[in-house]
Amino acid sequence: MSRWSVRVDPAWSLEAWRTAARLALRHAVAPDQLDWLPGSETSLLDAPSLTSVEDGRAPPAEPQIHVPKSFVELAAICLCHRDPQRMSLLYRMLWRITHGERSLLSNPADADVLRAMALSQAVRRDTHKMKAFVRFREVPGEQDAFIAWFEPDHQIVDRVAPFFARRFAGMRWAILTPYRSVHWDGQQLSFGPGGHQSDAPMEDAREELWRTYYANIFNPARLNTRMMQQEMPARYWKHLPEASLLPQLVRDAGDRVQEMHDREAQAPRRRIPQAIAAPEPAAETTPATLDALREAAAACRRCPLWEPATQTVFGEGPPNASIMLVGEQPGDSEDLSGHPFVGPAGQLLDRALRELGIERSTLYLTNAVKHFRFERRGKRRIHSKPQMTHINACRPWLMGEIENVRPQVIVCLGASAATAVFGAGFNLMKNHGRWHVLDDGTRAFATVHPSWVLRQTGDAARDEAYRLLKDDLQHLIEVQRTR
Ligand code: URA
Ligand code: SF4
């Protein structure tokens, strides 16, 4: 059996990995015949390079490789991890997917899938930290030029850089990390080698200005002390010029949330004018604790559904739940009680969860649309499906919930929820029970809605529909076990 080696350069590049993986697949090089190595520096100990596999022979026909989009997304995230096995893990998964195990990703009990999910989770966490804790300092003697030092756990600079480019589009900045640097000149991003902490000015004359800046842009609604304590190890704190202001800001946060809420639509004031471009507007105008969101949603008039309904039914559950269930819209009982999933559909869901041994109280339950849409028939109010316009109008609330709860897993119950989370065109019957990875790395799948189960006519059909729902929800047992 021949052995080959292949180098992926840079090691976190999806393109580089994909090119190599395609070449290997095309030549039917099995996973255990191939050593995956990071970077471009070859060593005498390397097995012959895969690039020489074609030497002297006619290349086989280009195979048609169709892999699920969710696998490609997962691969892009996992490649940023520092685990030396990640590239071979991904190739083994690709091999299995293209050799008869097309729905591999729907099996979260599989050891390879589990490992890949764990890697992606770690990279997501690291990405989140970098977005939250990078602090720029002005370069002495340069106008509007800023530099930051950051030590990510994984190789995420390329992945996160576009976020900073959008957020700080109007200034020139660089972020240095031990393995890679990135520079934004106001027009484009360029990447270079890693740096040293001493390359980034730690103290400068503008320290006071920075403190004022942070005290002003510090978004109090985003302040989450639990998260800060957990996710802000001393090694981040030490680089933060505003650290000394934090206790005060924490104390003031309550008042300032209210104040922000009061002037929601108004652009926030800034003390450093031209240096910082406006952050994405959605981030700034969305109230950002769950309580603030709930309160704001109670007065929502973004679509006409609020008027005939009794009240907004917002999501409920632990604010740090690892699993979020998204339904369609409140029904009659939910509309009257103000709580999600308390009527017949909720009871069926409860039964399924109970039978699977999943505690409902550990889940965050919400709906794609927060007001009951119905038609009157005599005294009765009959459920009427929300339209795309309602789902779109209501989506910011759902996104706000996702952003705050930051669940590891989202379950969409029914087509409306799936549309709200995955976008229009999601085919529920074709894709139910399959794992997907959202842009922010959150894992998600859709299944049928408990009301759909209840609507089936005949015991046999209902039993079968119920079994389908329960089978899909089995994923959650695995999620809870591996937490
Ligand atoms: N159906 C839903 O989608 N949500 C509820 O809260 C109740 C029924
Ligand atoms: Fe607002 Fe959603 Fe209610 Fe429409 S359904 S009014 S968007 S909360």
Side-chain angles (χ1 to χ4, degrees):
M1 183 176 83
S2 7
R3 254 206 109 63
W4 303 98
S5 70
V6 68
R7 293 205 161 258
V8 176
D9 181 38
W12 50 86
S13 161
L14 177 66
E15 262 330 292
W17 179 85
R18 193 142 67 161
T19 306
R22 281 212 187 101
L23 182 62
L25 270 189
R26 183 172 174 185
H27 288 272
V29 177
D32 56 359
Q33 283 178 278
L34 188 55
D35 297 329
W36 288 85
L37 303 163
S40 59
E41 245 171 75
T42 53
S43 141
L44 286 176
L45 302 174
D46 290 358
S49 167
L50 184 68
T51 50
S52 57
V53 71
E54 284 180 350
D55 289 357
R57 35 173 164 150
E62 186 81 46
Q64 289 292 316
I65 305 171
H66 292 296
V67 294
K69 190 158 156 263
S70 53
F71 175 74
V72 179
E73 286 157 4
L74 183 66
I77 300 180
C78 288
L79 284 169
C80 299
H81 201 285
R82 286 190 188 274
D83 181 343
Q85 299 303 324
R86 68 194 180 283
M87 295 182 265
S88 48
L89 167 73
L90 290 168
Y91 183 62
R92 190 163 59 240
M93 290 173 77
L94 177 67
W95 180 269
R96 295 177 58 191
I97 289 171
T98 53
H99 287 76
E101 293 183 68
R102 202 173 151 77
S103 42
L104 176 66
L105 289 189
S106 326
N107 178 8
D110 182 89
D112 285 346
V113 176
L114 270 179
R115 182 69 195 140
M117 291 303 178
L119 298 187
S120 94
Q121 191 78 24
V123 170
R124 279 175 57 199
R125 253 196 315 273
D126 204 32
T127 302
H128 170 72
K129 273 185 199 152
M130 181 161 174
K131 288 181 182 172
F133 300 133
V134 155
R135 291 297 179 266
F136 290 100
R137 286 155 179 273
E138 190 153 28
V139 179
E142 293 267 331
Q143 225 200 329
D144 294 347
F146 298 84
I147 204 161
W149 170 254
F150 191 74
E151 296 171 44
D153 291 335
H154 300 291
Q155 296 173 328
I156 56 172
V157 169
D158 295 56
R159 198 174 163 79
V160 184
F163 164 85
F164 287 101
R166 282 195 304 276
R167 198 160 191 103
F168 302 116
M171 64 192 233
R172 292 179 295 140
W173 53 258
I175 302 174
L176 309 179
T177 80
Y179 84 99
R180 191 148 171 91
S181 59
V182 56
H183 175 243
W184 170 255
D185 63 3
Q187 309 278 327
Q188 64 183 36
L189 288 168
S190 40
F191 295 88
H196 192 269
Q197 188 171 346
S198 58
D199 300 335
M202 294 309 296
E203 290 302 325
D204 60 51
R206 309 290 290 277
E207 196 74 83
E208 264 319 297
L209 187 61
W210 277 106
R211 286 173 193 250
T212 318
Y213 168 69
Y214 283 115
N216 279 280
I217 59 141
F218 193 81
N219 184 337
R222 290 183 167 251
L223 183 56
N224 175 335
T225 36
R226 179 187 60 85
M227 181 204 79
M228 274 207 176
Q229 282 152 4
Q230 275 179 6
E231 299 203 18
M232 217 156 132
R235 87 169 206 267
Y236 296 107
W237 278 91
K238 68 179 192 248
H239 301 312
L240 295 181
E242 78 276 30
S244 58
L245 288 172
L246 284 177
Q248 180 67 39
L249 290 164
V250 172
R251 238 175 288 123
D252 292 348
D255 289 343
R256 298 183 70 221
V257 171
Q258 188 55 48
E259 188 198 292
M260 257 178 68
H261 193 216
D262 292 344
R263 53 186 178 88
E264 230 174 350
Q266 208 177 307
R269 256 174 303 154
R270 276 191 197 125
R271 287 275 175 84
I272 296 190
Q274 73 285 44
I276 310 290
E280 296 117 298
E284 203 71 20
T285 48
T286 313
T289 62
L290 266 183
D291 287 342
L293 270 178
R294 178 177 285 110
E295 204 179 306
C300 180
R301 303 283 188 268
R302 291 174 55 92
C303 82
L305 293 188
W306 67 273
E307 202 164 6
T310 310
Q311 57 192 318
T312 307
V313 180
F314 203 72
E316 289 182 1
N320 57 353
S322 53
I323 299 171
M324 178 182 284
L325 258 55
V326 183
E328 179 189 72
Q329 63 168 352
D332 188 67
S333 329
E334 289 81 15
D335 172 76
L336 295 172
S337 69
H339 302 290
F341 290 103
V342 294
Q347 283 158 21
L348 186 76
L349 178 66
D350 284 352
R351 183 181 135 203
L353 293 173
R354 203 170 340 105
E355 288 174 7
L356 291 167
I358 298 164
E359 272 288 326
R360 167 169 166 152
S361 62
T362 61
L363 312 177
Y364 188 91
L365 294 172
T366 190
N367 285 297
V369 169
K370 310 281 193 253
H371 275 109
F372 179 33
R373 180 167 194 246
F374 58 90
E375 283 165 22
R376 281 194 191 281
R377 283 223 200 111
K379 281 199 183 138
R380 300 209 313 146
R381 304 190 299 172
I382 309 292
H383 164 276
S384 142
K385 226 167 94 78
Q387 294 176 331
M388 201 62 212
T389 51
H390 307 127
I391 295 174
N392 285 338
C394 216
R395 190 183 281 108
W397 300 122
L398 178 63
M399 293 302 138
E401 289 176 292
I402 295 175
E403 207 180 300
N404 276 277
V405 176
R406 280 204 274 119
Q408 290 172 23
V409 165
I410 297 175
V411 184
C412 302
L413 299 170
S416 298
T419 299
V421 172
F422 299 121
F426 185 88
N427 184 334
L428 181 64
M429 277 322 183
K430 213 170 126 211
N431 291 308
H432 74 88
R434 286 213 191 142
W435 285 109
H436 297 264
V437 182
L438 304 181
D439 281 352
D440 70 351
T442 311
R443 299 156 65 199
F445 69 89
T447 184
V448 293
H449 195 287
S451 302
W452 176 81
V453 175
L454 292 173
R455 278 200 306 275
Q456 302 300 306
T457 37
D459 288 350
R462 210 171 307 123
D463 284 355
E464 196 182 325
Y466 179 66
R467 203 158 333 112
L468 194 161
L469 169 70
K470 227 174 102 177
D471 278 355
D472 286 348
L473 290 177
Q474 294 247 16
H475 284 338
L476 299 183
I477 302 178
E478 207 54 50
V479 172
Q480 292 201 324
R481 207 172 24 234
T482 56
R483 216 144 48 88

